[in-house]
Amino acid sequence: MHTTRTTRQRRWTTGRTYARHVKKGLGIALGATLSSLVRLGWEHVLRHHGL
């Protein structure tokens, strides 16, 4: 009984750590994508409107 509880707890902790890493990675990727999109869009606007 005790062993199953510890195993489940360890797996849960590992899952949480993994989720945190995935969230951080997704946030970094999303930020990079957004910044590149903004840069591309801004360059396009400047070129198109000649500001």
Side-chain angles (χ1 to χ4, degrees), residues 2-42:
H2 183 69
T3 49
T4 52
R5 181 183 285 175
T6 47
T7 307
R8 191 178 297 137
Q9 199 169 6
R10 194 176 294 130
R11 194 175 296 140
W12 184 72
T13 311
T14 309
R16 270 187 54 168
T17 310
Y18 180 71
R20 194 183 298 132
H21 280 298
V22 167
K23 271 184 202 163
K24 188 186 268 185
L26 277 175
I28 292 169
L30 197 67
T33 309
L34 277 174
S35 62
S36 62
L37 277 174
V38 165
R39 197 179 300 124
L40 280 170
W42 187 242

